[in-house]
Amino acid sequence: MNRIVAKFGGTSMGSAKAMRSASAIVKASAADPEGIEGCEIVVVVSAVSGTTDALIGLGRTAVSGGDWEQTITAIRDKHAVIVAELGMAVDLAEFFVEMEQIARGVAMLGELSPSTLDRLQSFGERMSATIFAATLRDDGANATMVDAFHLVATDNQFGSANVDFAETARRTNAMIYPLSPPSSIPVITGYIGQSESGSYVTLGRGGSDYSGAIVAAAIDATELQIWTDVDGMFTADPRFIDTAVVLEQLSFSEAGELAYFGAKVLHPKTIRPAIEKNIPVRILNTFNPTAPGTVITNEERPTVKSVTSKKGITIVNLCSLGMLDAHGFLAKIFDAFARHEVIVDVVSTSEVSVSVTVDRDVPAELIDELRTFSVVDVQPSMAIVCIVGEGIRTEPNVLGKLFAAVGSVPVSMVSQGASKRNITFVVAESDASTAVEKVFHAFFSSTVL
């Protein structure tokens, strides 16, 4: 059985025209243009672009005593315009009644719990899935909106829930198989699930991609398609490097490195369930559906693939003469970061010092603890630049080529990943664009800067 999970992002849901384009893609996939008998498609959707931020803003406005009614009106109007331009009758009234009840309660109590905020955010995907299922029906396909609340089982970590994959697979197969074509195309809400306590919970920002992978793993899909507004993953960010080209293929490991270190197309969590089930992931463009996109598989090709960057980085430098010929220094450092729930990205060490990067402000309490056993220097407003590819392990002159390219850019920190699929260095945010451009031209262009 050829089974495709097609996940459509916020821009693909962001207008009536985009929804019609997405609908045409789903219908074409359901028709199985490649002639494989028994092709089935399961759809996962994000909220209409901008809606999640608006719903978070709604909660914060209500708890601070602001004009939350105006925020709801703006959300209602945005969706009403899409429905009107689609020329259909779609009833979203129940969502707005509940939304208003929650906002009023938050305003009266002056309290916005993580659980309540997650419930507010759930309306985005619930409304977009309702509209998109109606669009498919209007275009002649049988479709059913499915709330992932009934499928995705999680813990009680609101805002970034952990998934119970075994229970999710059981629930998903029980609900999806009866709906699958020719009966109906399931249109599943991304980003949300059901907590152990029976409440709506979210999977973390960008989690709709993760939802697509969760569903794909649950039903043993043959392919996960991520439909977005770009043609695939590129050799560099095409917004800044106009000669960047689409990558035909990436390995799971390469895609994971790129996603983690700044590539915006793919959410870092997405790769995990796909790797475990060896499900190919294809990045495609809703607005250019004939483009072949980028396919991500377990195949490893020995080439350098891409350069990416990630701003908003802080370096924490720690030095202690007591580290020399001593043990336990690294353990003390990472224990401190763990206690304060601060995730470390990149690590570089010497005999008496350690440098780490984090992608957030460093809590003062953490700095105080680190200073009890080391000299601490904090460098904010930095950027990670990362070159990724299996070729880093096989091409002999990668390091020489890289350092020659960035020789005029001050580099604060260098690290080569344990996988040897990436080389990472850290520069000031103001130098990031220059560094990326120089690395790109050294590895992917005949032009030398």
Side-chain angles (χ1 to χ4, degrees), residues 7 28 39 152 154 195 230 273:
K7 183 267 171 181
C39 177
V152 180
T154 78
S195 71
V230 294

Side-chain angles (χ1 to χ4, degrees), residues 114-300:
S115 174
T116 300
L117 183 58
D118 273 8
R119 189 172 187 88
L120 278 176
Q121 291 178 75
S122 75
F123 290 113
E125 276 73 14
R126 290 157 70 190
M127 291 190 295
S128 66
T130 300
I131 297 170
F132 189 60
T135 303
L136 282 167
R137 292 192 295 269
D138 193 59
D139 285 340
N142 191 12
T144 303
M145 182 274 204
V146 178
D147 192 337
F149 176 80
H150 302 295
L151 307 182
V152 180
T154 78
D155 61 11
N156 288 327
Q157 188 170 319
F158 295 96
S160 186
N162 298 297
V163 176
D164 180 337
F165 285 93
E167 177 60 18
T168 296
R170 186 193 68 78
R171 294 181 188 182
T172 301
N173 284 291
M175 182 168 283
I176 295 304
Y177 274 113
L179 290 177
S180 297
S183 173
S184 187
I185 297 171
V187 179
I188 303 171
T189 55
Y191 186 46
I192 57 179
Q194 182 179 165
S195 71
E196 289 175 310
S197 57
S199 301
Y200 274 97
V201 66
T202 63
L203 304 178
R205 295 307 304 268
S208 287
D209 283 353
Y210 189 29
S211 296
I214 291 166
V215 172
I219 65 173
D220 292 317
T222 52
E223 183 173 281
L224 168 61
Q225 298 176 350
I226 306 292
W227 290 89
T228 182
D229 56 358
V230 294
D231 285 347
M233 298 186 81
F234 285 72
T235 49
D237 192 329
R239 295 174 299 175
F240 307 115
I241 306 290
D242 57 12
T243 53
V245 298
V246 176
L247 292 160
E248 174 188 336
Q249 183 272 347
L250 286 169
S251 70
F252 285 126
S253 298
E254 289 170 330
E257 300 277 8
L258 285 171
Y260 190 79
F261 286 108
K264 302 295 185 184
V265 175
L266 191 65
H267 192 274
K269 283 184 179 179
T270 298
I271 292 297
R272 296 177 195 171
I275 291 173
E276 292 176 7
K277 288 295 187 79
N278 194 24
I279 300 169
V281 179
R282 195 177 298 273
I283 312 300
L284 296 159
N285 190 345
T286 302
F287 308 98
N288 185 21
T290 60
T294 301
V295 64
I296 304 167
T297 67
N298 61 5
E299 180 184 356
E300 298 181 350

Side-chain angles (χ1 to χ4, degrees), residues 295-342:
V295 64
I296 304 167
T297 67
N298 61 5
E299 180 184 356
E300 298 181 350
R301 300 179 186 177
T303 58
V304 178
K305 297 292 177 62
S306 183
V307 56
T308 187
S309 64
K310 185 179 183 181
K311 295 184 178 180
I313 299 299
T314 299
I315 297 179
V316 182
N317 298 304
L318 305 106
C319 181
S320 174
L321 292 177
M323 179 182 173
L324 191 62
D325 293 327
H327 61 82
F329 183 62
L330 283 174
K332 289 174 72 175
I333 291 171
F334 290 113
D335 282 348
F337 276 90
R339 277 194 298 275
H340 292 275
E341 299 183 342
V342 176

